[in-house]
PDB file of all heavy atoms in Angstrom:
ATOM      1  N   LEU A  51      51.907 112.812  65.866  1.00 97.00           N
ATOM      2  CA  LEU A  51      53.275 112.762  65.490  1.00 97.00           C
ATOM      3  C   LEU A  51      54.252 113.542  66.442  1.00 97.00           C
ATOM      4  O   LEU A  51      55.265 113.115  66.881  1.00 97.00           O
ATOM      5  CB  LEU A  51      53.527 113.237  64.048  1.00 97.00           C
ATOM      6  CG  LEU A  51      54.929 113.169  63.519  1.00 97.00           C
ATOM      7  CD1 LEU A  51      55.355 111.638  63.414  1.00 97.00           C
ATOM      8  CD2 LEU A  51      54.919 113.797  62.131  1.00 97.00           C
ATOM      9  N   ALA A  52      53.757 114.787  66.781  1.00 97.00           N
ATOM     10  CA  ALA A  52      54.634 115.597  67.615  1.00 97.00           C
ATOM     11  C   ALA A  52      54.604 114.982  69.004  1.00 97.00           C
ATOM     12  O   ALA A  52      55.714 114.976  69.680  1.00 97.00           O
ATOM     13  CB  ALA A  52      54.014 116.969  67.795  1.00 97.00           C
ATOM     14  N   GLY A  53      53.581 114.321  69.587  1.00 97.00           N
ATOM     15  CA  GLY A  53      53.647 113.661  70.791  1.00 97.00           C
ATOM     16  C   GLY A  53      54.591 112.423  70.785  1.00 97.00           C
ATOM     17  O   GLY A  53      55.275 112.174  71.740  1.00 97.00           O
ATOM     18  N   LEU A  54      54.587 111.656  69.723  1.00 97.00           N
ATOM     19  CA  LEU A  54      55.447 110.536  69.550  1.00 97.00           C
ATOM     20  C   LEU A  54      56.915 111.040  69.526  1.00 97.00           C
ATOM     21  O   LEU A  54      57.778 110.375  70.135  1.00 97.00           O
ATOM     22  CB  LEU A  54      55.146 109.737  68.267  1.00 97.00           C
ATOM     23  CG  LEU A  54      53.827 108.907  68.392  1.00 97.00           C
ATOM     24  CD1 LEU A  54      53.547 108.282  67.023  1.00 97.00           C
ATOM     25  CD2 LEU A  54      53.972 107.837  69.384  1.00 97.00           C
ATOM     26  N   LEU A  55      57.300 112.138  68.852  1.00 97.00           N
ATOM     27  CA  LEU A  55      58.554 112.611  68.877  1.00 97.00           C
ATOM     28  C   LEU A  55      59.033 113.042  70.257  1.00 97.00           C
ATOM     29  O   LEU A  55      60.151 112.838  70.667  1.00 97.00           O
ATOM     30  CB  LEU A  55      58.633 113.838  68.067  1.00 97.00           C
ATOM     31  CG  LEU A  55      58.626 113.503  66.449  1.00 97.00           C
ATOM     32  CD1 LEU A  55      58.549 114.772  65.568  1.00 97.00           C
ATOM     33  CD2 LEU A  55      59.822 112.640  66.020  1.00 97.00           C
ATOM     34  N   CYS A  56      58.044 113.658  71.020  1.00 97.00           N
ATOM     35  CA  CYS A  56      58.430 114.081  72.312  1.00 97.00           C
ATOM     36  C   CYS A  56      58.646 112.831  73.254  1.00 97.00           C
ATOM     37  O   CYS A  56      59.726 112.905  74.051  1.00 97.00           O
ATOM     38  CB  CYS A  56      57.382 115.000  72.887  1.00 97.00           C
ATOM     39  SG  CYS A  56      57.202 116.529  72.235  1.00 97.00           S
ATOM     40  N   VAL A  57      57.837 111.860  73.075  1.00 97.00           N
ATOM     41  CA  VAL A  57      58.145 110.732  73.954  1.00 97.00           C
ATOM     42  C   VAL A  57      59.290 109.942  73.517  1.00 97.00           C
ATOM     43  O   VAL A  57      60.047 109.532  74.418  1.00 97.00           O
ATOM     44  CB  VAL A  57      56.871 109.734  73.790  1.00 97.00           C
ATOM     45  CG1 VAL A  57      57.093 108.338  74.322  1.00 97.00           C
ATOM     46  CG2 VAL A  57      55.572 110.358  74.387  1.00 97.00           C
ATOM     47  N   SER A  58      59.681 109.894  72.230  1.00 97.00           N
ATOM     48  CA  SER A  58      60.942 109.308  71.765  1.00 97.00           C
ATOM     49  C   SER A  58      62.143 110.073  72.409  1.00 97.00           C
ATOM     50  O   SER A  58      63.196 109.392  72.791  1.00 97.00           O
ATOM     51  CB  SER A  58      60.970 109.018  70.195  1.00 97.00           C
ATOM     52  OG  SER A  58      61.048 110.458  69.718  1.00 97.00           O
ATOM     53  N   VAL A  59      62.055 111.329  72.337  1.00 97.00           N
ATOM     54  CA  VAL A  59      63.081 112.129  73.034  1.00 97.00           C
ATOM     55  C   VAL A  59      63.260 111.896  74.315  1.00 97.00           C
ATOM     56  O   VAL A  59      64.447 111.648  74.894  1.00 97.00           O
ATOM     57  CB  VAL A  59      62.873 113.665  72.765  1.00 97.00           C
ATOM     58  CG1 VAL A  59      63.917 114.459  73.575  1.00 97.00           C
ATOM     59  CG2 VAL A  59      63.116 113.990  71.273  1.00 97.00           C
ATOM     60  N   ILE A  60      62.207 111.609  75.107  1.00 97.00           N
ATOM     61  CA  ILE A  60      62.312 111.402  76.582  1.00 97.00           C
ATOM     62  C   ILE A  60      63.015 109.956  76.828  1.00 97.00           C
ATOM     63  O   ILE A  60      63.762 109.696  77.567  1.00 97.00           O
ATOM     64  CB  ILE A  60      60.885 111.543  77.280  1.00 97.00           C
ATOM     65  CG1 ILE A  60      60.473 113.025  77.244  1.00 97.00           C
ATOM     66  CG2 ILE A  60      60.837 110.880  78.651  1.00 97.00           C
ATOM     67  CD1 ILE A  60      59.095 113.199  77.608  1.00 97.00           C
ATOM     68  N   VAL A  61      62.420 108.958  76.006  1.00 97.00           N
ATOM     69  CA  VAL A  61      62.918 107.613  76.140  1.00 97.00           C
ATOM     70  C   VAL A  61      64.373 107.423  75.795  1.00 97.00           C
ATOM     71  O   VAL A  61      65.114 106.904  76.504  1.00 97.00           O
ATOM     72  CB  VAL A  61      62.095 106.734  75.280  1.00 97.00           C
ATOM     73  CG1 VAL A  61      62.767 105.311  75.124  1.00 97.00           C
ATOM     74  CG2 VAL A  61      60.619 106.530  75.769  1.00 97.00           C
ATOM     75  N   SER A  62      64.818 108.313  74.715  1.00 97.00           N
ATOM     76  CA  SER A  62      66.254 108.105  74.392  1.00 97.00           C
ATOM     77  C   SER A  62      67.090 108.950  75.460  1.00 97.00           C
ATOM     78  O   SER A  62      68.214 108.511  75.730  1.00 97.00           O
ATOM     79  CB  SER A  62      66.420 108.918  72.968  1.00 97.00           C
ATOM     80  OG  SER A  62      66.173 110.317  73.058  1.00 97.00           O
ATOM     81  N   THR A  63      66.630 109.987  76.022  1.00 97.00           N
ATOM     82  CA  THR A  63      67.302 110.728  77.107  1.00 97.00           C
ATOM     83  C   THR A  63      67.472 109.674  78.354  1.00 97.00           C
ATOM     84  O   THR A  63      68.640 109.611  78.967  1.00 97.00           O
ATOM     85  CB  THR A  63      66.637 111.956  77.495  1.00 97.00           C
ATOM     86  OG1 THR A  63      66.524 112.690  76.369  1.00 97.00           O
ATOM     87  CG2 THR A  63      67.325 112.689  78.497  1.00 97.00           C
ATOM     88  N   ALA A  64      66.381 109.090  78.661  1.00 97.00           N
ATOM     89  CA  ALA A  64      66.472 108.134  79.752  1.00 97.00           C
ATOM     90  C   ALA A  64      67.476 107.039  79.528  1.00 97.00           C
ATOM     91  O   ALA A  64      68.235 106.529  80.354  1.00 97.00           O
ATOM     92  CB  ALA A  64      65.095 107.554  80.063  1.00 97.00           C
ATOM     93  N   TYR A  65      67.458 106.452  78.327  1.00 97.00           N
ATOM     94  CA  TYR A  65      68.418 105.388  77.943  1.00 97.00           C
ATOM     95  C   TYR A  65      69.864 105.864  78.014  1.00 97.00           C
ATOM     96  O   TYR A  65      70.612 105.169  78.496  1.00 97.00           O
ATOM     97  CB  TYR A  65      68.117 104.861  76.512  1.00 97.00           C
ATOM     98  CG  TYR A  65      69.101 103.779  76.060  1.00 97.00           C
ATOM     99  CD1 TYR A  65      68.928 102.479  76.590  1.00 97.00           C
ATOM    100  CD2 TYR A  65      69.977 104.150  75.087  1.00 97.00           C
ATOM    101  CE1 TYR A  65      69.817 101.456  76.079  1.00 97.00           C
ATOM    102  CE2 TYR A  65      70.967 103.087  74.628  1.00 97.00           C
ATOM    103  CZ  TYR A  65      70.760 101.815  75.117  1.00 97.00           C
ATOM    104  OH  TYR A  65      71.646 100.874  74.804  1.00 97.00           O
ATOM    105  N   THR A  66      70.054 107.009  77.459  1.00 97.00           N
ATOM    106  CA  THR A  66      71.455 107.555  77.457  1.00 97.00           C
ATOM    107  C   THR A  66      72.006 107.850  79.037  1.00 97.00           C
ATOM    108  O   THR A  66      73.026 107.636  79.375  1.00 97.00           O
ATOM    109  CB  THR A  66      71.596 108.834  76.600  1.00 97.00           C
ATOM    110  OG1 THR A  66      70.714 109.803  77.135  1.00 97.00           O
ATOM    111  CG2 THR A  66      71.487 108.542  75.252  1.00 97.00           C
ATOM    112  N   ALA A  67      70.962 108.211  79.898  1.00 97.00           N
ATOM    113  CA  ALA A  67      71.348 108.473  81.230  1.00 97.00           C
ATOM    114  C   ALA A  67      71.671 107.106  81.835  1.00 97.00           C
ATOM    115  O   ALA A  67      72.640 107.085  82.643  1.00 97.00           O
ATOM    116  CB  ALA A  67      70.101 109.194  81.946  1.00 97.00           C
ATOM    117  N   GLY A  68      70.881 106.044  81.483  1.00 96.00           N
ATOM    118  CA  GLY A  68      71.289 104.740  82.074  1.00 96.00           C
ATOM    119  C   GLY A  68      72.664 104.198  81.635  1.00 96.00           C
ATOM    120  O   GLY A  68      73.409 103.726  82.384  1.00 96.00           O
ATOM    121  N   VAL A  69      72.856 104.402  80.414  1.00 97.00           N
ATOM    122  CA  VAL A  69      74.175 104.133  79.905  1.00 97.00           C
ATOM    123  C   VAL A  69      75.326 104.819  80.527  1.00 97.00           C
ATOM    124  O   VAL A  69      76.530 104.363  80.813  1.00 97.00           O
ATOM    125  CB  VAL A  69      74.255 104.245  78.340  1.00 97.00           C
ATOM    126  CG1 VAL A  69      75.618 104.059  77.736  1.00 97.00           C
ATOM    127  CG2 VAL A  69      73.249 103.299  77.648  1.00 97.00           C
ATOM    128  N   LYS A  70      75.036 106.188  80.607  1.00 97.00           N
ATOM    129  CA  LYS A  70      76.139 106.968  81.378  1.00 97.00           C
ATOM    130  C   LYS A  70      76.322 106.522  82.812  1.00 97.00           C
ATOM    131  O   LYS A  70      77.500 106.486  83.269  1.00 97.00           O
ATOM    132  CB  LYS A  70      75.672 108.440  81.365  1.00 97.00           C
ATOM    133  CG  LYS A  70      76.586 109.478  81.940  1.00 97.00           C
ATOM    134  CD  LYS A  70      77.980 109.505  81.191  1.00 97.00           C
ATOM    135  CE  LYS A  70      78.832 110.598  81.691  1.00 97.00           C
ATOM    136  NZ  LYS A  70      80.170 110.645  81.062  1.00 97.00           N
ATOM    137  N   TYR A  71      75.226 106.192  83.491  1.00 97.00           N
ATOM    138  CA  TYR A  71      75.475 105.608  84.782  1.00 97.00           C
ATOM    139  C   TYR A  71      76.312 104.394  84.927  1.00 97.00           C
ATOM    140  O   TYR A  71      77.206 104.219  85.759  1.00 97.00           O
ATOM    141  CB  TYR A  71      73.935 105.304  85.435  1.00 97.00           C
ATOM    142  CG  TYR A  71      74.077 104.766  86.808  1.00 97.00           C
ATOM    143  CD1 TYR A  71      74.288 105.634  87.958  1.00 97.00           C
ATOM    144  CD2 TYR A  71      73.910 103.403  87.004  1.00 97.00           C
ATOM    145  CE1 TYR A  71      74.446 105.118  89.188  1.00 97.00           C
ATOM    146  CE2 TYR A  71      73.957 102.861  88.316  1.00 97.00           C
ATOM    147  CZ  TYR A  71      74.221 103.722  89.390  1.00 97.00           C
ATOM    148  OH  TYR A  71      74.288 103.265  90.703  1.00 97.00           O
ATOM    149  N   GLU A  72      76.050 103.465  84.005  1.00 97.00           N
ATOM    150  CA  GLU A  72      76.802 102.215  83.912  1.00 97.00           C
ATOM    151  C   GLU A  72      78.297 102.649  83.501  1.00 97.00           C
ATOM    152  O   GLU A  72      79.244 101.941  84.104  1.00 97.00           O
ATOM    153  CB  GLU A  72      76.325 101.256  82.760  1.00 97.00           C
ATOM    154  CG  GLU A  72      75.026 100.617  83.108  1.00 97.00           C
ATOM    155  CD  GLU A  72      74.323  99.925  82.019  1.00 97.00           C
ATOM    156  OE1 GLU A  72      75.046  99.677  81.051  1.00 97.00           O
ATOM    157  OE2 GLU A  72      73.218  99.423  82.174  1.00 97.00           O
TER     158      GLU A  72
END
Side-chain angles (χ1 to χ4, degrees):
L51 180 65
L54 286 174
L55 287 174
C56 291
V57 168
S58 66
V59 166
I60 291 171
V61 168
S62 66
T63 303
Y65 178 74
T66 55
V69 169
K70 183 66 175 171
Y71 179 78
E72 290 175 8

